[in-house]
Amino acid sequence: MSTLQRSIEKEKIMPFFVLWTKLEEEIGIIHTSKRTDASLFMKQGISVYKALLEQCSSEEETLEPLNNDERLHFVESYTSTYAAFRQLQELFIEMQKKVAAKRAILNRL
């Protein structure tokens, strides 16, 4: 079993997505109500995302969405905006797909 295969096992990856789902709901409520700034929750979401990226990296390969660095930079620069929130949502969705696809490929080998 490769290092990457061990690092993307469901048990190791799911906590990141569970935590993001909770943050995503809170951030969505904040953007809907427009009463407070979502930056604090967005920064937590960014931390979860970066930890997920770290988990999905090995010496052999790194899993990340297309244009990850540019998109993450945008999210970090505009944490209080709805556009940054949507971009972070998309990054998580794409990571989930990448992990599932890679897991399927590795399981076939």
Side-chain angles (χ1 to χ4, degrees):
M1 184 180 276
S2 73
T3 315
L4 181 63
Q5 192 170 6
R6 280 191 298 275
S7 69
I8 62 171
E9 290 174 341
K10 197 170 198 168
E11 300 78 32
K12 293 181 180 176
I13 297 296
M14 282 312 295
F16 297 103
F17 292 107
V18 169
L19 186 53
W20 167 245
T21 300
K22 292 175 185 173
L23 288 168
E24 180 181 29
E25 185 178 326
E26 190 65 38
I27 296 166
I29 291 168
I30 290 170
H31 278 295
T32 303
S33 68
K34 298 184 185 197
R35 290 189 195 135
T36 56
D37 186 5
S39 293
L40 177 64
F41 291 106
M42 283 292 291
K43 288 176 183 172
Q44 290 174 358
I46 292 166
S47 293
V48 172
Y49 180 73
K50 286 181 174 180
L52 174 62
L53 286 176
E54 184 68 31
Q55 179 66 36
C56 296
S57 298
S58 71
E59 291 178 8
E60 312 125 17
E61 188 175 354
T62 299
L63 292 180
E64 63 180 37
L66 188 64
N67 299 327
N68 181 70
D69 294 339
E70 296 86 356
R71 294 164 71 190
L72 186 55
H73 177 71
F74 171 79
V75 171
E76 291 174 319
S77 297
Y78 300 99
T79 56
S80 63
T81 67
Y82 182 74
F85 169 56
R86 287 290 298 130
Q87 191 61 241
L88 189 56
Q89 282 180 313
E90 290 302 316
L91 287 169
F92 270 100
I93 290 168
E94 289 178 39
M95 274 303 291
Q96 198 165 24
K97 289 177 183 177
K98 288 245 181 217
V99 167
K102 190 63 172 183
R103 207 182 285 139
I105 290 168
L106 291 172
N107 286 339
R108 273 190 260 148
L109 299 177

